[in-house]
Amino acid sequence: DAGITQSPRHKVTETGTPVTLRCHQTENHRYMYWYRQDPGHGLRLIHYSYGVKDTDKGEVSDGYSVSRSKTEDFLLTLESATSSQTSVYFCAISEYGVREKLFFGSGTQLSVL
Amino acid sequence: KQEVTQIPAALSVPEGENLVLNCSFTDSAIYNLQWFRQDPGKGLTSLLLIQSSQREQTSGRLNASLDKSSGRSTLYIAASQPGDSATYLCAVPRSNDYKLSFGAGTTVTVRA
């Protein structure tokens, strides 16, 4: 299994509070992605990174920011959490973007009350 | 815009039966196509990746075919087992920016 660790695994927070999710990889892959998975919407890309300090928006990036200061870490921040951001968040990695297989972490279940 | 559809949404079969899962996409100018498996409460595991130049890809009991011109891929799972019970998703890169578009998945139950 690819070495991807997401933390925390579960989090409950209140509306309006900031939240940071962490993705850590030991594979030295260039590309890292944040997805959210919701019933009825499937998997949707939030942000992705193609190198240290190189990031770009996905299809549902509003309300989210990311940072990648090291190859192995990709952080997703909800500046002011809303109930609509209750979801399961997955991190994924790949060496050559979508030209090869993506490897996913185990996910973070986030509940915003 | 690339749209990916998987039909049926759910499938229940007795153990030993062969499984046929379908994936269709609207933009045939794809780079490749991936099939994933997701177990409840878990992340996705990539099963097979078919390059656009390939017609099929095989791994053990799994075989995936690709017909770009008709916008379809099929995942075959031979001699199904209860351990094959999971949700299977397909994904293709969008032609304009190469980000993946996922289907909603087919949830498979294999009855012992």
mmCIF file with all atom_site columns, all heavy atoms in Angstrom, chain B residues 41-57:
data_model
loop_
_atom_site.group_PDB
_atom_site.id
_atom_site.type_symbol
_atom_site.label_atom_id
_atom_site.label_alt_id
_atom_site.label_comp_id
_atom_site.label_asym_id
_atom_site.label_entity_id
_atom_site.label_seq_id
_atom_site.pdbx_PDB_ins_code
_atom_site.Cartn_x
_atom_site.Cartn_y
_atom_site.Cartn_z
_atom_site.occupancy
_atom_site.B_iso_or_equiv
_atom_site.pdbx_formal_charge
_atom_site.auth_seq_id
_atom_site.auth_comp_id
_atom_site.auth_asym_id
_atom_site.auth_atom_id
_atom_site.pdbx_PDB_model_num
ATOM 1   N N   . GLY B 1 41 ? -16.232 2.838  4.319   1.00 0.00 ? 41 GLY B N   1
ATOM 2   C CA  . GLY B 1 41 ? -15.411 3.535  5.289   1.00 0.00 ? 41 GLY B CA  1
ATOM 3   C C   . GLY B 1 41 ? -13.930 3.593  4.941   1.00 0.00 ? 41 GLY B C   1
ATOM 4   O O   . GLY B 1 41 ? -13.117 3.985  5.786   1.00 0.00 ? 41 GLY B O   1
ATOM 5   N N   . LYS B 1 42 ? -13.609 3.224  3.721   1.00 0.00 ? 42 LYS B N   1
ATOM 6   C CA  . LYS B 1 42 ? -12.203 3.195  3.311   1.00 0.00 ? 42 LYS B CA  1
ATOM 7   C C   . LYS B 1 42 ? -11.957 4.113  2.128   1.00 0.00 ? 42 LYS B C   1
ATOM 8   O O   . LYS B 1 42 ? -12.896 4.625  1.502   1.00 0.00 ? 42 LYS B O   1
ATOM 9   C CB  . LYS B 1 42 ? -11.799 1.763  2.908   1.00 0.00 ? 42 LYS B CB  1
ATOM 10  C CG  . LYS B 1 42 ? -12.060 0.714  3.964   1.00 0.00 ? 42 LYS B CG  1
ATOM 11  C CD  . LYS B 1 42 ? -11.104 0.803  5.115   1.00 0.00 ? 42 LYS B CD  1
ATOM 12  C CE  . LYS B 1 42 ? -11.283 -0.369 6.072   1.00 0.00 ? 42 LYS B CE  1
ATOM 13  N NZ  . LYS B 1 42 ? -10.362 -0.262 7.229   1.00 0.00 ? 42 LYS B NZ  1
ATOM 14  N N   . GLY B 1 43 ? -10.684 4.284  1.808   1.00 0.00 ? 43 GLY B N   1
ATOM 15  C CA  . GLY B 1 43 ? -10.323 5.038  0.624   1.00 0.00 ? 43 GLY B CA  1
ATOM 16  C C   . GLY B 1 43 ? -10.440 4.183  -0.632  1.00 0.00 ? 43 GLY B C   1
ATOM 17  O O   . GLY B 1 43 ? -10.837 3.027  -0.570  1.00 0.00 ? 43 GLY B O   1
ATOM 18  N N   . LEU B 1 44 ? -10.107 4.777  -1.765  1.00 0.00 ? 44 LEU B N   1
ATOM 19  C CA  . LEU B 1 44 ? -10.184 4.073  -3.039  1.00 0.00 ? 44 LEU B CA  1
ATOM 20  C C   . LEU B 1 44 ? -8.876  3.347  -3.321  1.00 0.00 ? 44 LEU B C   1
ATOM 21  O O   . LEU B 1 44 ? -7.795  3.857  -3.005  1.00 0.00 ? 44 LEU B O   1
ATOM 22  C CB  . LEU B 1 44 ? -10.440 5.063  -4.178  1.00 0.00 ? 44 LEU B CB  1
ATOM 23  C CG  . LEU B 1 44 ? -11.867 5.551  -4.385  1.00 0.00 ? 44 LEU B CG  1
ATOM 24  C CD1 . LEU B 1 44 ? -12.326 6.454  -3.257  1.00 0.00 ? 44 LEU B CD1 1
ATOM 25  C CD2 . LEU B 1 44 ? -11.994 6.253  -5.730  1.00 0.00 ? 44 LEU B CD2 1
ATOM 26  N N   . THR B 1 45 ? -9.009  2.174  -3.940  1.00 0.00 ? 45 THR B N   1
ATOM 27  C CA  . THR B 1 45 ? -7.846  1.401  -4.369  1.00 0.00 ? 45 THR B CA  1
ATOM 28  C C   . THR B 1 45 ? -7.902  1.269  -5.878  1.00 0.00 ? 45 THR B C   1
ATOM 29  O O   . THR B 1 45 ? -8.904  0.799  -6.425  1.00 0.00 ? 45 THR B O   1
ATOM 30  C CB  . THR B 1 45 ? -7.850  0.007  -3.728  1.00 0.00 ? 45 THR B CB  1
ATOM 31  O OG1 . THR B 1 45 ? -7.803  0.142  -2.303  1.00 0.00 ? 45 THR B OG1 1
ATOM 32  C CG2 . THR B 1 45 ? -6.649  -0.802 -4.209  1.00 0.00 ? 45 THR B CG2 1
ATOM 33  N N   . SER B 1 46 ? -6.831  1.684  -6.553  1.00 0.00 ? 46 SER B N   1
ATOM 34  C CA  . SER B 1 46 ? -6.798  1.563  -8.008  1.00 0.00 ? 46 SER B CA  1
ATOM 35  C C   . SER B 1 46 ? -6.626  0.097  -8.391  1.00 0.00 ? 46 SER B C   1
ATOM 36  O O   . SER B 1 46 ? -5.720  -0.587 -7.925  1.00 0.00 ? 46 SER B O   1
ATOM 37  C CB  . SER B 1 46 ? -5.648  2.394  -8.571  1.00 0.00 ? 46 SER B CB  1
ATOM 38  O OG  . SER B 1 46 ? -5.646  2.347  -9.994  1.00 0.00 ? 46 SER B OG  1
ATOM 39  N N   . LEU B 1 47 ? -7.520  -0.386 -9.253  1.00 0.00 ? 47 LEU B N   1
ATOM 40  C CA  . LEU B 1 47 ? -7.484  -1.776 -9.693  1.00 0.00 ? 47 LEU B CA  1
ATOM 41  C C   . LEU B 1 47 ? -6.758  -1.935 -11.024 1.00 0.00 ? 47 LEU B C   1
ATOM 42  O O   . LEU B 1 47 ? -5.860  -2.757 -11.167 1.00 0.00 ? 47 LEU B O   1
ATOM 43  C CB  . LEU B 1 47 ? -8.906  -2.316 -9.842  1.00 0.00 ? 47 LEU B CB  1
ATOM 44  C CG  . LEU B 1 47 ? -9.765  -2.360 -8.579  1.00 0.00 ? 47 LEU B CG  1
ATOM 45  C CD1 . LEU B 1 47 ? -11.194 -2.746 -8.923  1.00 0.00 ? 47 LEU B CD1 1
ATOM 46  C CD2 . LEU B 1 47 ? -9.176  -3.323 -7.567  1.00 0.00 ? 47 LEU B CD2 1
ATOM 47  N N   . LEU B 1 48 ? -7.192  -1.150 -11.988 1.00 0.00 ? 48 LEU B N   1
ATOM 48  C CA  . LEU B 1 48 ? -6.644  -1.241 -13.340 1.00 0.00 ? 48 LEU B CA  1
ATOM 49  C C   . LEU B 1 48 ? -6.614  0.142  -13.953 1.00 0.00 ? 48 LEU B C   1
ATOM 50  O O   . LEU B 1 48 ? -7.510  0.951  -13.714 1.00 0.00 ? 48 LEU B O   1
ATOM 51  C CB  . LEU B 1 48 ? -7.503  -2.162 -14.222 1.00 0.00 ? 48 LEU B CB  1
ATOM 52  C CG  . LEU B 1 48 ? -7.521  -3.651 -13.886 1.00 0.00 ? 48 LEU B CG  1
ATOM 53  C CD1 . LEU B 1 48 ? -8.646  -4.349 -14.637 1.00 0.00 ? 48 LEU B CD1 1
ATOM 54  C CD2 . LEU B 1 48 ? -6.189  -4.286 -14.252 1.00 0.00 ? 48 LEU B CD2 1
ATOM 55  N N   . LEU B 1 49 ? -5.601  0.395  -14.748 1.00 0.00 ? 49 LEU B N   1
ATOM 56  C CA  . LEU B 1 49 ? -5.520  1.618  -15.543 1.00 0.00 ? 49 LEU B CA  1
ATOM 57  C C   . LEU B 1 49 ? -5.304  1.208  -16.987 1.00 0.00 ? 49 LEU B C   1
ATOM 58  O O   . LEU B 1 49 ? -4.365  0.461  -17.275 1.00 0.00 ? 49 LEU B O   1
ATOM 59  C CB  . LEU B 1 49 ? -4.382  2.523  -15.065 1.00 0.00 ? 49 LEU B CB  1
ATOM 60  C CG  . LEU B 1 49 ? -4.241  3.868  -15.770 1.00 0.00 ? 49 LEU B CG  1
ATOM 61  C CD1 . LEU B 1 49 ? -3.706  4.926  -14.813 1.00 0.00 ? 49 LEU B CD1 1
ATOM 62  C CD2 . LEU B 1 49 ? -3.339  3.784  -16.986 1.00 0.00 ? 49 LEU B CD2 1
ATOM 63  N N   . ILE B 1 50 ? -6.200  1.642  -17.872 1.00 0.00 ? 50 ILE B N   1
ATOM 64  C CA  . ILE B 1 50 ? -6.091  1.325  -19.295 1.00 0.00 ? 50 ILE B CA  1
ATOM 65  C C   . ILE B 1 50 ? -5.680  2.590  -20.036 1.00 0.00 ? 50 ILE B C   1
ATOM 66  O O   . ILE B 1 50 ? -6.349  3.625  -19.939 1.00 0.00 ? 50 ILE B O   1
ATOM 67  C CB  . ILE B 1 50 ? -7.428  0.847  -19.879 1.00 0.00 ? 50 ILE B CB  1
ATOM 68  C CG1 . ILE B 1 50 ? -8.070  -0.209 -19.001 1.00 0.00 ? 50 ILE B CG1 1
ATOM 69  C CG2 . ILE B 1 50 ? -7.231  0.307  -21.283 1.00 0.00 ? 50 ILE B CG2 1
ATOM 70  C CD1 . ILE B 1 50 ? -9.436  -0.626 -19.494 1.00 0.00 ? 50 ILE B CD1 1
ATOM 71  N N   . GLN B 1 51 ? -4.579  2.511  -20.753 1.00 0.00 ? 51 GLN B N   1
ATOM 72  C CA  . GLN B 1 51 ? -4.165  3.649  -21.570 1.00 0.00 ? 51 GLN B CA  1
ATOM 73  C C   . GLN B 1 51 ? -5.081  3.768  -22.780 1.00 0.00 ? 51 GLN B C   1
ATOM 74  O O   . GLN B 1 51 ? -5.683  2.785  -23.211 1.00 0.00 ? 51 GLN B O   1
ATOM 75  C CB  . GLN B 1 51 ? -2.711  3.468  -22.020 1.00 0.00 ? 51 GLN B CB  1
ATOM 76  C CG  . GLN B 1 51 ? -1.706  3.352  -20.894 1.00 0.00 ? 51 GLN B CG  1
ATOM 77  C CD  . GLN B 1 51 ? -1.562  4.624  -20.081 1.00 0.00 ? 51 GLN B CD  1
ATOM 78  O OE1 . GLN B 1 51 ? -2.053  5.690  -20.457 1.00 0.00 ? 51 GLN B OE1 1
ATOM 79  N NE2 . GLN B 1 51 ? -0.895  4.531  -18.938 1.00 0.00 ? 51 GLN B NE2 1
ATOM 80  N N   . SER B 1 52 ? -5.166  4.946  -23.357 1.00 0.00 ? 52 SER B N   1
ATOM 81  C CA  . SER B 1 52 ? -6.069  5.180  -24.484 1.00 0.00 ? 52 SER B CA  1
ATOM 82  C C   . SER B 1 52 ? -5.714  4.321  -25.693 1.00 0.00 ? 52 SER B C   1
ATOM 83  O O   . SER B 1 52 ? -6.565  4.022  -26.533 1.00 0.00 ? 52 SER B O   1
ATOM 84  C CB  . SER B 1 52 ? -6.063  6.652  -24.882 1.00 0.00 ? 52 SER B CB  1
ATOM 85  O OG  . SER B 1 52 ? -4.765  7.038  -25.289 1.00 0.00 ? 52 SER B OG  1
ATOM 86  N N   . SER B 1 53 ? -4.457  3.888  -25.786 1.00 0.00 ? 53 SER B N   1
ATOM 87  C CA  . SER B 1 53 ? -4.024  3.072  -26.918 1.00 0.00 ? 53 SER B CA  1
ATOM 88  C C   . SER B 1 53 ? -4.321  1.584  -26.718 1.00 0.00 ? 53 SER B C   1
ATOM 89  O O   . SER B 1 53 ? -4.142  0.778  -27.631 1.00 0.00 ? 53 SER B O   1
ATOM 90  C CB  . SER B 1 53 ? -2.524  3.245  -27.131 1.00 0.00 ? 53 SER B CB  1
ATOM 91  O OG  . SER B 1 53 ? -1.819  2.882  -25.953 1.00 0.00 ? 53 SER B OG  1
ATOM 92  N N   . GLN B 1 54 ? -4.776  1.221  -25.509 1.00 0.00 ? 54 GLN B N   1
ATOM 93  C CA  . GLN B 1 54 ? -5.042  -0.181 -25.202 1.00 0.00 ? 54 GLN B CA  1
ATOM 94  C C   . GLN B 1 54 ? -6.520  -0.503 -25.374 1.00 0.00 ? 54 GLN B C   1
ATOM 95  O O   . GLN B 1 54 ? -7.385  0.355  -25.214 1.00 0.00 ? 54 GLN B O   1
ATOM 96  C CB  . GLN B 1 54 ? -4.624  -0.492 -23.761 1.00 0.00 ? 54 GLN B CB  1
ATOM 97  C CG  . GLN B 1 54 ? -3.124  -0.363 -23.511 1.00 0.00 ? 54 GLN B CG  1
ATOM 98  C CD  . GLN B 1 54 ? -2.773  -0.630 -22.062 1.00 0.00 ? 54 GLN B CD  1
ATOM 99  O OE1 . GLN B 1 54 ? -3.327  -0.003 -21.161 1.00 0.00 ? 54 GLN B OE1 1
ATOM 100 N NE2 . GLN B 1 54 ? -1.856  -1.561 -21.847 1.00 0.00 ? 54 GLN B NE2 1
ATOM 101 N N   . ARG B 1 55 ? -6.798  -1.780 -25.656 1.00 0.00 ? 55 ARG B N   1
ATOM 102 C CA  . ARG B 1 55 ? -8.189  -2.237 -25.751 1.00 0.00 ? 55 ARG B CA  1
ATOM 103 C C   . ARG B 1 55 ? -8.631  -2.905 -24.460 1.00 0.00 ? 55 ARG B C   1
ATOM 104 O O   . ARG B 1 55 ? -9.811  -2.912 -24.146 1.00 0.00 ? 55 ARG B O   1
ATOM 105 C CB  . ARG B 1 55 ? -8.322  -3.230 -26.900 1.00 0.00 ? 55 ARG B CB  1
ATOM 106 C CG  . ARG B 1 55 ? -8.038  -2.651 -28.258 1.00 0.00 ? 55 ARG B CG  1
ATOM 107 C CD  . ARG B 1 55 ? -9.198  -1.829 -28.750 1.00 0.00 ? 55 ARG B CD  1
ATOM 108 N NE  . ARG B 1 55 ? -10.387 -2.623 -29.019 1.00 0.00 ? 55 ARG B NE  1
ATOM 109 C CZ  . ARG B 1 55 ? -11.526 -2.115 -29.477 1.00 0.00 ? 55 ARG B CZ  1
ATOM 110 N NH1 . ARG B 1 55 ? -11.632 -0.818 -29.698 1.00 0.00 ? 55 ARG B NH1 1
ATOM 111 N NH2 . ARG B 1 55 ? -12.561 -2.891 -29.713 1.00 0.00 ? 55 ARG B NH2 1
ATOM 112 N N   . GLU B 1 56 ? -7.671  -3.510 -23.750 1.00 0.00 ? 56 GLU B N   1
ATOM 113 C CA  . GLU B 1 56 ? -8.019  -4.137 -22.483 1.00 0.00 ? 56 GLU B CA  1
ATOM 114 C C   . GLU B 1 56 ? -6.806  -4.279 -21.599 1.00 0.00 ? 56 GLU B C   1
ATOM 115 O O   . GLU B 1 56 ? -5.653  -4.156 -22.040 1.00 0.00 ? 56 GLU B O   1
ATOM 116 C CB  . GLU B 1 56 ? -8.685  -5.491 -22.697 1.00 0.00 ? 56 GLU B CB  1
ATOM 117 C CG  . GLU B 1 56 ? -7.818  -6.561 -23.341 1.00 0.00 ? 56 GLU B CG  1
ATOM 118 C CD  . GLU B 1 56 ? -8.593  -7.879 -23.474 1.00 0.00 ? 56 GLU B CD  1
ATOM 119 O OE1 . GLU B 1 56 ? -9.640  -7.890 -24.144 1.00 0.00 ? 56 GLU B OE1 1
ATOM 120 O OE2 . GLU B 1 56 ? -8.140  -8.865 -22.886 1.00 0.00 ? 56 GLU B OE2 1
ATOM 121 N N   . GLN B 1 57 ? -7.106  -4.543 -20.315 1.00 0.00 ? 57 GLN B N   1
ATOM 122 C CA  . GLN B 1 57 ? -6.069  -4.702 -19.311 1.00 0.00 ? 57 GLN B CA  1
ATOM 123 C C   . GLN B 1 57 ? -6.555  -5.776 -18.343 1.00 0.00 ? 57 GLN B C   1
ATOM 124 O O   . GLN B 1 57 ? -7.735  -5.796 -17.972 1.00 0.00 ? 57 GLN B O   1
ATOM 125 C CB  . GLN B 1 57 ? -5.852  -3.379 -18.577 1.00 0.00 ? 57 GLN B CB  1
ATOM 126 C CG  . GLN B 1 57 ? -4.710  -3.333 -17.598 1.00 0.00 ? 57 GLN B CG  1
ATOM 127 C CD  . GLN B 1 57 ? -3.353  -3.317 -18.272 1.00 0.00 ? 57 GLN B CD  1
ATOM 128 O OE1 . GLN B 1 57 ? -2.665  -4.328 -18.282 1.00 0.00 ? 57 GLN B OE1 1
ATOM 129 N NE2 . GLN B 1 57 ? -2.990  -2.183 -18.837 1.00 0.00 ? 57 GLN B NE2 1
#
